[in-house]
Amino acid sequence: MNVIYSSTFAIVLLVHHYPYPTLWLWISLSLASRHLEVLAKIKALERMARRQTFWLHLLFLACWTSVGEAEYMKYKDPKQSINVRIKDLMDRMTLAEKIGQMTQIERKVASAQVMKDYFIGSLLSGGGSVPGPQASASDWVNMVNELQKGSLSTRLGIPMIYGIDAVHGHNNRIGEATALEVRATGIPYVFAPCIAVCRDPRWGRCYESYSEDHNIVQEMTEIIPGLQGDVPANYHKGVPYISGKVKVAACAKHFVGDGGTHNGINENNTIVNRDGLLSIHMPAYYNSIMKGVATVMVSYSSWNGVKMHANHDLVTGYLKNTLHFRGFVITDWQGIDRITSPPGVNYTYSVQAGINAGIDMVMVPYDYSEYINALTSLVNKHVIPMSRIDDAVRRILRVKFTMGLFENPLADLSLVDQLGKKEHRELAREAVRKSLVLLKNGKSRNDSFLPLPKKAAKILVAGSHADNLGYQCGGWTIEWQGASGNITVGTTILGAIKTTVDHSTEVVYSENPDEKFVKDNGFSYAIVVVGEPPYTETAGDNLNLTLPDPGPSTIRTVCGAIKCVVIIISGRPVVIEPYVHLMDALVAAWLPGSEGQGVTDVLFGDYGFTGKLSRTWFKSVDQLPMNVGDMHYDPLFPFGFGLTTGPTMARLSSSSPASAAAAAAAAADVRKEAYWVVSLFLSLSMAWVSTYLL
């Protein structure tokens, strides 16, 4: 229209500059004719415009309706069933988005941009991987949330799941405390419990195992409802269950046979027939699945020469198809790399073998682009079928939907005060005293040495582990391999002794005293605390299991001169037979973690000893492997052994108010309870806070 009017205006201007009448008449007639043509064209255009406007309105309405429908996404609606939500979301996902869900990377290589660009499905903190030195709960929450925001900014906004090790404790109450404190740091997923059946204490991960007896390990899967919540009455077997914002997704590990490797060598070969594997190492997985465990981690080890990370028969055939596990299967750290020897020599093959075996999520943890590219290529070449990818993603999404991660992807600071709270420390202390095992009490049957008197002129405390919090906690503490010294918040055994004895009792500490010092100082008795240094995994493999120096010499020097009780701090039985005759009393304290008062609670009779051995204490390593039920069974202390004592009346008469009733109740507890020593890593939930996070 503007063009037409502009052209007419130009003609008028042209006429205005020509004064000749004839020419003016001709131009006027021509202009009139042209004007009629212009008007006709205008009307035609107006009719066309009206028709176009009508269709444009229809098109706009159609687009508006389409946009309105797209805004309702079933997968974002918590009222829809989980299966409906999974299907709706998967129908929208590209291959890149699916493979991203199958990828778990270390926080050190993560950023919000990486999470967004690669659609990363999960993050983890490896041993010692923290937001910063002395990081607080708030620091953890803020770090997790910043990374989560990257995931939420993707096209579909699928939240990532953050995992971390929290291998502590052995029952429902401990599970609840662990879950609460892990959640307090903004993390919703723990790589626990370890349900290995340790058949040889030379294995460096034996302290992560509850027992050599699968029955005990099966009982200890009760930690799973503590971590995840109790499954409801209408629960379908095999489906993961996590009950709310103060619970975490658990991980049963390491599937399967990790505790049965030859000579206890970590990541080695478990040589046993199928019946042996299923009867010893598999039962606890059945219990875990019945309790709704969300994830299962595969073992580095092999079964009769076949790497578990590549074992389709057991991962898909037995775990998924026979046991009907519907959560997701995750690798161990660089687990698929170790399918080959040396690790990573043929990474593409490792990805192919691992994913086709039935692994759903790969703990990469660093070179995520190599893994993503390899898996993408294998799918595009039809080496790995799309059905296998869809199965993996379906399982991962099921866990995320079940735990409410889509509704509550970001952590808040409302739980930070739960970290290291007094009630949790008291629970840890209780677990310590119930887990101690009294192996010897007096040099004759009628000559009990324990409980020790709190009131004495002067007592000696000796040994490398008496005043070392890091040694009490063991591996997986602050750092992957643990460390020596006062590395976290807690109470050493020496500190606990000083606060427990009478104020008039002089406590003298000498780590490794000489014989003259011991004999010349008039000590009433001595407490010797020795044991293993911290270790984790392969670094803990030990073919001789001797007590590290100067432990043996300290025992000989002190116990050879005065009455003594020896406390062994270790993750497993060690060689002690040569020294037992020198001791008046012997206590297996395992790894008591941060709460040293749990040791003195029973040592001085505030509570009685009730713990029982959940693993055989051998005489010599030449006997190993040796487990209860073996034909050649000849232990120093047998499976299930543990002397008991009652709480002293002196303690009860001075306690609050109904001392007689308290004494009766305590005595009844001793009669009716025989606690198995099933937790060799008693740092517990609050110690995970104070040891792993601080």
Side-chain angles (χ1 to χ4, degrees):
M1 302 289 283
N2 289 335
V3 174
I4 293 173
Y5 283 131
S6 297
S7 300
T8 305
F9 179 65
I11 293 172
V12 171
L13 290 177
L14 179 64
V15 170
H16 179 71
H17 286 86
Y18 284 87
Y20 304 100
T22 304
L23 183 59
W24 168 251
L25 177 61
W26 179 82
I27 292 175
S28 297
L29 291 173
S30 297
L31 182 60
S33 174
R34 179 60 176 164
H35 183 64
L36 291 175
E37 292 176 7
V38 168
L39 289 177
K41 288 182 178 181
I42 290 172
K43 290 180 180 179
L45 286 171
E46 286 177 345
R47 287 195 298 272
M48 185 183 297
R50 282 195 295 270
R51 289 196 298 270
Q52 288 176 342
T53 300
F54 172 76
W55 290 111
L56 284 171
H57 275 95
L58 285 181
L59 181 61
F60 174 77
L61 288 172
C63 291
W64 184 85
T65 303
S66 176
V67 170
E69 289 177 354
E71 288 178 351
Y72 174 67
M73 299 181 182
K74 291 181 180 179
Y75 78 91
K76 291 187 176 182
D77 184 358
K79 295 179 182 178
Q80 295 286 344
S81 71
I82 287 178
N83 287 337
V84 167
R85 298 179 76 183
I86 292 172
K87 183 180 184 306
D88 180 67
L89 179 51
M90 289 188 64
D91 286 346
R92 302 172 188 273
M93 294 174 72
T94 64
L95 176 60
E97 288 166 332
K98 290 178 178 180
I99 289 176
Q101 287 301 300
M102 299 171 66
T103 308
Q104 184 181 67
I105 67 174
E106 224 284 339
R107 55 159 290 278
K108 291 177 182 177
V109 297
S111 67
Q113 194 63 46
V114 167
M115 303 303 289
K116 179 179 180 180
D117 292 346
Y118 291 89
F119 313 106
I120 301 297
S122 183
L123 292 174
L124 84 152
S125 278
S129 178
V130 298
Q134 305 296 316
S136 67
S138 298
D139 293 332
W140 280 86
V141 168
N142 293 334
M143 177 200 70
V144 173
N145 282 348
E146 283 306 307
L147 295 168
Q148 183 70 280
K149 288 173 184 176
S151 296
L152 299 178
S153 69
T154 58
R155 181 178 70 93
L156 297 172
I158 304 173
M160 64 86 176
I161 182 172
Y162 200 115
I164 200 164
D165 283 283
V167 193
H168 306 84
H170 64 280
N171 65 23
N172 194 291
R173 290 170 61 207
I174 290 171
E176 290 179 357
T178 302
L180 191 57
E181 297 211 358
V182 173
R183 274 287 194 173
T185 66
I187 295 173
Y189 177 27
V190 297
F191 305 130
C194 177
I195 55 173
V197 181
C198 178
R199 304 290 285 177
D200 192 326
R202 291 174 290 186
W203 184 37
R205 305 193 76 161
C206 203
Y207 67 84
E208 297 182 47
S209 163
Y210 294 123
S211 177
E212 69 188 43
D213 178 14
H214 70 84
N215 293 292
I216 300 298
V217 178
Q218 287 178 265
E219 290 181 34
M220 293 309 105
T221 60
E222 189 59 24
I223 193 174
I224 292 171
L227 293 167
Q228 297 190 159
D230 293 305
V231 296
N234 60 348
Y235 167 74
H236 294 287
K237 174 190 170 184
V239 178
Y241 179 78
I242 305 100
S243 66
K245 291 180 66 176
V246 297
K247 297 297 182 181
V248 293
C251 180
K253 64 181 190 181
H254 306 85
F255 187 86
V256 59
D258 52 337
T261 57
H262 181 62
N263 288 339
I265 299 172
N266 191 44
E267 304 181 19
N268 205 254
N269 192 24
T270 297
I271 305 170
V272 64
N273 62 28
R274 190 177 185 88
D275 287 344
L277 185 78
L278 298 185
S279 63
I280 295 172
H281 299 283
M282 191 68 76
Y285 287 95
Y286 174 81
N287 293 87
S288 300
I289 291 167
M290 290 296 291
K291 292 171 182 175
V293 73
T295 72
V296 171
M297 183 182 291
V298 180
S299 176
Y300 287 128
S301 59
S302 303
W303 175 48
N304 294 332
V306 179
K307 288 281 189 178
M308 281 306 310
H309 276 80
N311 197 315
H312 180 273
D313 174 46
L314 289 175
V315 175
T316 296
Y318 200 87
L319 178 63
K320 291 184 174 182
N321 295 343
T322 300
L323 296 184
H324 304 292
F325 174 63
R326 295 181 67 193
F328 69 79
V329 177
I330 186 170
T331 73
D332 208 329
W333 180 279
Q334 294 181 329
I336 61 169
D337 302 53
R338 304 189 197 189
I339 289 174
T340 60
S341 182
V345 69
N346 188 344
Y347 190 71
T348 300
Y349 167 76
S350 293
V351 173
Q352 173 189 336
I355 300 300
N356 277 338
I359 287 167
D360 303 311
M361 182 181 286
V362 172
M363 191 184 294
V364 177
Y366 296 121
D367 196 350
Y368 51 86
S369 60
E370 181 185 21
Y371 162 70
I372 290 172
N373 290 339
L375 182 52
T376 302
S377 175
L378 288 166
V379 174
N380 288 334
K381 293 176 181 177
H382 307 291
V383 177
I384 294 176
M386 197 65 203
S387 59
R388 176 73 271 278
I389 301 299
D390 287 342
D391 173 63
V393 176
R394 189 176 297 111
R395 291 167 176 275
I396 294 165
L397 294 178
R398 182 176 292 117
V399 171
K400 291 185 177 183
F401 279 123
T402 298
M403 65 194 305
L405 204 54
F406 280 79
E407 286 68 55
N408 298 289
L410 297 175
D412 58 48
L413 300 174
S414 62
L415 297 176
V416 295
D417 61 345
Q418 300 296 310
L419 208 57
K421 64 188 295 188
K422 180 181 178 182
E423 292 84 352
H424 293 170
R425 290 188 178 274
E426 286 299 321
L427 177 61
R429 181 174 176 174
E430 177 187 349
V432 172
R433 62 175 175 259
K434 288 181 176 179
S435 297
L436 301 183
V437 182
L438 181 58
L439 298 174
K440 181 179 180 179
N441 190 18
K443 291 187 175 179
S444 66
R445 172 165 289 188
N446 298 319
D447 181 27
S448 296
F449 186 61
L450 300 180
L452 296 171
K454 295 181 180 179
K455 191 170 185 178
K458 186 191 294 186
I459 64 174
L460 172 65
V461 179
S464 55
H465 289 56
D467 193 31
N468 195 312
L469 200 57
Y471 281 9
Q472 283 178 207
C473 293
W476 292 109
T477 306
I478 298 294
E479 299 293 339
W480 176 41
Q481 293 292 334
S484 174
N486 296 325
I487 59 176
T488 186
V489 178
T491 305
T492 66
I493 293 173
L494 175 63
I497 291 170
K498 289 180 176 180
T499 59
T500 301
V501 298
D502 188 83
H503 69 278
S504 65
T505 300
E506 182 182 355
V507 178
V508 177
Y509 173 61
S510 178
E511 183 174 331
N512 189 25
D514 59 32
E515 185 177 357
K516 187 177 186 303
F517 178 86
V518 176
K519 288 182 175 180
D520 292 352
N521 274 279
F523 295 114
S524 302
Y525 59 82
I527 301 170
V528 179
V529 191
V530 294
E532 295 184 298
Y535 56 81
T536 302
E537 300 186 25
T538 302
D541 287 353
N542 190 329
L543 294 178
N544 57 56
L545 293 178
T546 54
L547 198 61
D549 291 329
S553 64
T554 304
I555 293 172
R556 289 192 185 97
T557 300
V558 176
C559 298
I562 58 176
K563 287 183 175 292
C564 78
V565 54
V566 174
I567 300 170
I568 304 293
I569 305 295
S570 66
R572 55 197 165 189
V574 292
V575 176
I576 56 172
E577 185 189 34
Y579 327 112
V580 172
H581 70 281
L582 296 169
M583 309 169 188
D584 292 278
L586 173 62
V587 177
W590 313 114
L591 298 173
S594 59
E595 304 309 298
Q597 303 100 316
V599 176
T600 56
D601 281 345
V602 290
L603 202 61
F604 291 94
D606 290 347
Y607 293 85
F609 280 94
T610 55
K612 306 295 180 183
L613 289 177
S614 67
R615 60 186 79 254
T616 298
W617 205 297
F618 57 89
K619 295 176 182 176
S620 164
V621 290
D622 296 334
Q623 298 174 296
L624 301 178
M626 178 176 62
N627 296 284
V628 62
D630 290 353
M631 291 184 65
H632 64 284
Y633 196 68
D634 182 27
L636 180 62
F637 300 109
F639 173 87
F641 179 81
L643 302 173
T644 59
T645 63
T648 62
M649 291 305 296
R651 184 266 178 187
L652 293 171
S653 63
S654 64
S655 63
S656 65
S659 57
D669 284 344
V670 170
R671 285 194 300 270
K672 70 184 181 181
E673 294 188 20
Y675 293 99
W676 290 96
V677 183
V678 293
S679 178
L680 301 185
F681 192 32
L682 286 170
S683 302
L684 283 176
S685 57
M686 60 85 226
W688 178 85
V689 170
S690 59
T691 65
Y692 197 81
L693 298 180
L694 296 183

